[in-house]
Amino acid sequence: MSAGGETVTEKPVRNSALVVGALGIVYGDIGTSPIYAFRESLAAAPGSLTWPETVLGVASLTLWVLIIVVTIKYVLLIMRADNRGEGGILSLAALALRLKSSRGRRLFMISLAIIGVALFYGDGLITPAISVLSAVEGLEVIAPSFQPYVVPCAVAILVGLFLIQSHGTALVGRLFGPIMVVWFAVLAILGLINVIEEPGVLRAINPVHGLTLLAAGGWKALAILGAVVLTVTGAEALYADMGHFGRSPIRAAWLRFVLPALALNYLGQASLVLRNPGAASDPFFLQAPAWGLIPLVVLATIATVIASQAVISGSFSLTRQAIQLDYVPRMEVRHTSATEIGQIYVPRVNWILMIGVLTLVLGFGSSNNLAGAYGIAVTGTMSATTILAAIVARHLWNWSWLVVLPLFGALLGIDLLFFGSTLLKIPNGGWFPLLAGGMAIFVMATWRRGRKVVYEKLYGEGLKLEPFLARLEASPMRIARTAVFMTGDPTVVPRAMLHNMKHNMVLHERNVLLRVIIEDLPHVPPDQRILVERLGKGFFRATVRYGYMQDPNVPAALEAARKQGLATDMMTTSFFIGRETLIPSSRPGLPFWQERLFIALAATAMNATAFFDIPPGQVVEMGAQVEI
């Protein structure tokens, strides 16, 4: 990686297919924001200015937020911080954690990652709810008598969306890009037609109009910003999905297609309400002529389903990374495509999201009400991303403090200003993403702390391997088989081995102490997968490495170990895995409330046999009780 964060092997934009694919997956969320964002921003604007000044001010803020937050911050700056081609806050945190830092600084960076991940889940709950609701509400514009059917229709669409997740999205995914091309083209055309009717709206390009609106609003300006931030929801997806499409296609899609389409549509909505103030109740759908209203509602509904799908898939991908990096318990991850490794399905996350989304739809009942809950999670994640990116720029890219402080300081100031503005929404629904994010933070922090306590109990006072081997002259009876002991510390004699020797009075002819390490890299090349050390007396120490975007497969890794002199026959190999039963301790390493939660989380964790893809018929589990 160079000082600017560019990778030598970055793929150029080879054809338009990558750009079209990015339109379907990356820009679904931010691309459907025009349905509700401008309407909510107008509603939040104070009445201290004339109507034209207010409309131009809101349009100006909308345009410049897209330019500063999305274009400058994410597209041109944050996307430089790729971790071997992968993006997202966990990848960024992994980059930052490579630095030789004090314990306090590492804890700070891990905390930022946990907060960012937790708030992303909060966003994953609200995006499908508000997007689908806002689209279906177009039925009310067609005929007010449809109002009672809005929530039931939204619920039906969302239930169907979550039910199809287990079947994968390969077929639907191929349609996402072309449909979103049509969607953005319609946004641009509708906006252009209205701008032509009122060219004076182009004055909103001057940022003075936005600053005037903020100045006139006084402290109420925060409420305006809390609504304007709805225009950039989904910006984090540009960075998170970088590994799927590459930096150049995502940038090209934004600069050449998405940004112009969004800018034209927001200006078109502003033009409409300048001519007809009554249209402020729903300026997006009222842009369309009467004959085009029904097709627009249908297209908007499809676009919001695509936006929701992108957020759900992003939640699956983020969960997989979190599992591998040990932020959450192991859980089932199903691959839904034989050719696309990124297409996965996490059943537990899917049903949790579905319950949360349906609760939001039924509890809030309209996109207007949900707008009060939207924004806190997004701006919180943005703030965490900016801080981590500043650390990477200074210490990995070696940028001068004279550049880092003013540049990232200004961006963080904007993020915090938006975050502060969304805090005003807490009484009106903003408490929900904070509650959801807080619960996720609590779970992840408990899991990481509990895992550390268990590790210290298992290995902190364990029998060291070297003195054990030195005293192994009068060894017990040997069995002509291979035993693989899964361990977290290969310098300590595994408990499973000691139990086997104590109770069965035998030792295998060959014993492999195998440790699996998940690196802070997305992928570890196959030729760097395994390292074998010959310890003598039939003992081997093997270290297997995977990236956080890869699935462990221990048998395949052992097969690769043949090149290093460790030839194993799966038919005569047994895998010994410790199964610990956690019980409360009179002197717990965790507070009482965390202790109970950690034990419950550990009980739901996926078993090691399935997680490491070990044949169940060759596994020997050795139970032990561990007091925490």
Side-chain angles (χ1 to χ4, degrees):
M1 181 177 290
S2 68
E6 300 285 349
T7 53
V8 177
T9 59
E10 181 183 5
K11 295 179 277 189
V13 182
R14 291 185 293 270
N15 51 59
S16 59
L18 287 174
V19 176
V20 173
L23 288 175
I25 300 299
V26 178
Y27 294 108
D29 190 358
I30 198 170
T32 53
S33 294
I35 300 176
Y36 52 83
F38 195 79
R39 178 192 70 203
E40 297 301 323
S41 299
L42 277 177
S48 53
L49 297 177
T50 64
W51 181 248
E53 290 173 326
T54 299
V55 173
L56 290 176
V58 170
S60 180
L61 288 174
T62 300
L63 294 178
W64 282 99
V65 165
L66 290 174
I67 292 171
I68 294 174
V69 174
V70 183
T71 308
I72 295 177
K73 176 183 170 181
Y74 277 96
V75 174
L76 299 181
L77 185 60
I78 298 294
M79 289 182 69
R80 290 174 175 265
D82 68 286
N83 190 344
R84 303 289 179 90
E86 294 291 338
I89 192 164
L90 280 180
S91 292
L92 185 60
L95 269 180
L97 286 168
R98 291 183 196 170
L99 303 171
K100 293 182 179 179
S101 306
S102 64
R103 185 170 179 270
R105 179 179 291 183
R106 290 184 65 83
L107 181 60
F108 172 69
M109 291 187 288
I110 290 173
S111 298
L112 283 178
I114 289 175
I115 291 170
V117 171
L119 292 177
F120 184 89
Y121 286 126
D123 184 45
L125 289 173
I126 299 176
T127 294
I130 192 172
S131 297
V132 173
L133 259 179
S134 62
V136 178
E137 284 169 351
L139 294 172
E140 297 181 51
V141 180
I142 298 173
S145 58
F146 283 126
Q147 194 276 333
Y149 304 102
V150 168
V151 170
C153 286
V155 168
I157 291 170
L158 288 166
V159 168
L161 178 61
F162 282 103
L163 287 178
I164 67 170
Q165 295 302 312
S166 61
H167 300 289
T169 57
L171 176 62
V172 180
R174 288 195 291 269
L175 301 175
F176 281 6
I179 291 174
M180 292 308 289
V181 168
V182 174
W183 170 253
F184 284 114
V186 169
L187 291 184
I189 292 170
L190 289 175
L192 182 60
I193 291 173
N194 281 280
V195 168
I196 290 173
E197 293 192 28
E198 181 59 59
V201 76
L202 294 175
R203 289 177 292 164
I205 297 173
N206 186 343
V208 171
H209 290 284
L211 296 175
T212 300
L213 179 64
L214 293 178
W219 68 270
K220 293 182 179 179
L222 285 176
I224 305 172
L225 292 176
V228 171
V229 77
L230 297 175
T231 61
V232 294
T233 56
E236 190 75 18
L238 278 69
Y239 181 43
D241 287 321
M242 187 166 59
H244 296 287
F245 299 97
R247 184 183 312 158
S248 296
I250 292 176
R251 283 178 171 171
W254 174 258
L255 295 173
R256 300 176 188 176
F257 205 60
V258 179
L259 177 59
L262 292 177
L264 278 173
N265 195 264
Y266 284 123
L267 287 173
Q269 292 187 51
S271 173
L272 174 64
V273 297
L274 279 175
R275 303 191 316 271
N276 177 17
S281 61
D282 206 329
F284 176 77
F285 286 109
L286 291 175
Q287 285 182 107
W291 60 265
L293 195 53
I294 293 178
L296 182 59
V297 171
V298 173
L299 180 60
T301 303
I302 296 172
T304 55
V305 168
I306 292 173
S308 302
Q309 175 63 60
V311 172
I312 295 168
S313 299
S315 298
F316 294 161
S317 179
L318 188 67
T319 300
R320 181 191 186 189
Q321 294 182 34
I323 291 169
Q324 303 291 52
L325 293 172
D326 208 19
Y327 283 93
V328 296
R330 295 189 300 257
M331 59 186 78
E332 182 184 5
V333 177
R334 298 181 196 169
H335 291 269
T336 59
S337 171
T339 57
E340 299 293 331
I341 193 169
Q343 291 190 11
I344 58 175
Y345 169 64
V346 185
R348 189 181 304 177
V349 173
N350 186 67
W351 303 127
I352 291 174
L353 285 177
M354 187 182 79
I355 292 170
V357 169
L358 295 182
T359 300
L360 283 170
V361 171
L362 295 172
F364 285 84
S366 72
S367 61
N368 297 77
N369 295 335
L370 267 173
Y374 212 14
I376 294 180
V378 175
T379 53
T381 303
M382 286 180 176
S383 301
T385 298
T386 301
I387 296 172
L388 289 170
I391 294 172
V392 169
R394 175 67 185 96
H395 297 288
L396 286 183
W397 303 347
N398 296 317
W399 285 14
S400 168
W401 279 118
L402 297 177
V403 175
V404 172
L405 282 179
L407 178 59
F408 287 93
L411 293 174
L412 180 60
I414 293 172
D415 290 337
L416 293 177
L417 189 61
F418 278 124
F419 182 70
S421 68
T422 57
L423 292 179
L424 296 177
K425 300 180 177 183
I426 290 177
N428 299 319
W431 56 269
F432 186 89
L434 287 180
L435 176 63
M439 291 172 63
I441 290 171
F442 181 55
V443 167
M444 285 188 282
T446 298
W447 180 252
R448 285 185 68 88
R449 187 173 178 184
R451 290 280 291 170
K452 183 178 179 181
V453 170
V454 170
Y455 183 90
E456 291 172 351
K457 293 283 187 178
L458 289 175
Y459 304 108
E461 300 176 359
L463 177 62
K464 292 298 182 181
L465 183 63
E466 290 185 5
F468 170 80
L469 290 177
R471 298 196 300 268
L472 201 61
E473 301 299 336
S475 60
M477 182 176 66
R478 296 267 185 155
I479 301 176
R481 289 179 62 92
T482 299
V484 177
F485 294 90
M486 306 294 295
T487 178
D489 186 350
T491 67
V492 174
V493 181
R495 288 192 176 193
M497 179 185 291
L498 294 176
H499 283 301
N500 192 38
M501 293 175 64
K502 177 181 178 181
H503 297 290
N504 299 323
M505 304 298 292
V506 295
L507 191 64
H508 287 67
E509 187 175 71
R510 289 191 305 173
N511 299 273
V512 181
L513 277 66
L514 189 144
R515 181 188 184 192
V516 177
I517 296 177
I518 305 298
E519 298 284 4
D520 60 1
L521 304 170
H523 303 278
V524 172
D527 59 350
Q528 300 175 23
R529 174 79 67 239
I530 189 166
L531 176 65
V532 177
E533 300 175 69
R534 190 182 295 269
L535 304 176
K537 299 184 179 181
F539 279 75
F540 298 82
R541 182 158 47 212
T543 303
V544 183
R545 301 178 185 275
Y546 291 93
Y548 58 77
M549 295 294 289
Q550 296 173 306
D551 295 322
N553 186 317
V554 168
L558 287 175
E559 185 64 28
R562 290 180 178 273
K563 297 179 181 179
Q564 300 185 39
L566 178 59
T568 55
D569 180 0
M570 284 295 108
M571 297 302 295
T572 59
T573 298
S574 299
F575 293 85
F576 285 79
I577 297 176
R579 176 179 285 273
E580 293 80 26
T581 300
L582 306 180
I583 58 175
S585 171
S586 57
R587 292 185 296 175
L590 294 171
F592 174 81
W593 40 274
Q594 273 194 317
E595 184 182 61
R596 295 301 191 276
L597 175 59
F598 177 72
I599 291 174
L601 290 172
T604 67
M606 183 180 182
N607 67 72
T609 301
F611 184 75
F612 294 115
D613 205 13
I614 301 171
Q618 295 173 242
V619 172
V620 179
E621 290 190 347
M622 308 294 284
Q625 289 188 339
V626 178
E627 288 189 346
I628 61 168

